[in-house]
């Protein structure tokens, strides 16, 4: 990875961390700032000027956000995490159709599975034996039909869905995590 690529990624990681901004506002920042250094010293009023909305009540602290972005970059490299941003060609088109799409996706594996037919299977964590079997069977049938199964990674229906998808012919499944990709929740699913 070239240094200029690292600089752009750090800037994007900083922008991603601004949870009080919409994807559109994050894109405005991306397009109007030439370096992460400018973002690190930006005041709330400068930020407000770029995104055309008052953010004086936000908790923007550029130097802290920069430290977090640098830590995230080290994790990305150490764990082999891949990324795509909303303006990247490989960003899944269906996600762009959302009212406020994610600005970034961090992933392991093959992102192309989200560009094909998908079905989301979610349900209770305290699943009955019948529910467990139904989630597994439904996901396996979807996988047999070359459909990607998308679910969380929680105990119960979510895990049964992933296991069913992996047992099917295509074996394509995507787990949506509530935190960072370096933090599998619950911990017991780390090796699942």
């Amino acid at each position: 990875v070239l240094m200029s690529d690292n600089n752009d990624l750090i800037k994007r990681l900083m922008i991603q961390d601004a949870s009080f901004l919409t994807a559109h506002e994050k894109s405005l920042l991306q397009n109007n700032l030439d370096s992460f250094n400018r973002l690190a010293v930006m005041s709330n009023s400068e930020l407000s000027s770029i995104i055309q909305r008052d953010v004086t009540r936000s908790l923007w602290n550029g130097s802290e956000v920069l430290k977090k972005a640098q830590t995230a970059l080290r994790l990305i490299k150490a764990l082999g995490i891949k990324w795509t941003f909303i303006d990247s060609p490989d960003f899944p088109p269906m996600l762009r159709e959302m009212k406020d799409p994610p600005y970034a996706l961090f992933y392991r594996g093959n992102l192309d599975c989200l560009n094909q037919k998908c079905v989301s299977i979610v349900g209770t964590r305290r699943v009955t034996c019948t529910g467990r079997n139904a989630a597994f069977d439904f996901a396996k049938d979807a996988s047999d039909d070359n459909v990607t199964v998308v679910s969380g990674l929680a105990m119960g229906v979510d895990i049964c869905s992933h296991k069913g998808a992996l047992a099917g012919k295509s074996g394509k499944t995507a787990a949506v995590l509530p935190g960072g990709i370096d933090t599998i929740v619950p911990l017991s699913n780390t090796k699942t």
Side-chain angles (χ1 to χ4, degrees), residues 129-147:
C129 185
T130 302
R132 196 173 3 265
N133 291 336
F136 182 94
D137 292 343
F138 184 82
K140 184 179 179 305
D141 289 346
S143 179
D144 287 343
D145 288 337
N146 204 33
V147 174

Side-chain angles (χ1 to χ4, degrees), residues 9-81:
L9 183 54
I10 289 173
K11 179 176 75 167
R12 288 174 178 270
L13 290 170
M14 291 176 71
I15 292 170
Q16 170 60 26
D17 192 55
S19 60
F20 57 91
L21 298 177
T22 67
H24 174 71
E25 291 168 338
K26 290 176 182 183
S27 293
L28 285 173
L29 276 179
Q30 173 62 31
N31 296 332
N32 286 288
L33 296 174
D34 55 359
S35 76
F36 69 85
N37 291 316
R38 177 142 181 260
L39 189 56
V41 296
M42 184 171 282
S43 69
N44 280 340
S45 62
E46 291 173 301
L47 189 64
S48 296
S49 176
I50 291 173
I51 66 165
Q52 303 167 0
R53 176 174 67 88
D54 185 22
V55 292
T56 55
R57 293 186 184 185
S58 74
L59 301 175
W60 178 255
N61 180 332
S63 61
E64 286 300 313
V65 174
L66 174 58
K67 287 178 191 174
K68 287 173 64 178
Q70 291 167 329
T71 299
L73 181 61
R74 286 192 294 278
L75 281 171
I76 284 169
K77 289 181 176 189
L79 299 174
I81 297 169

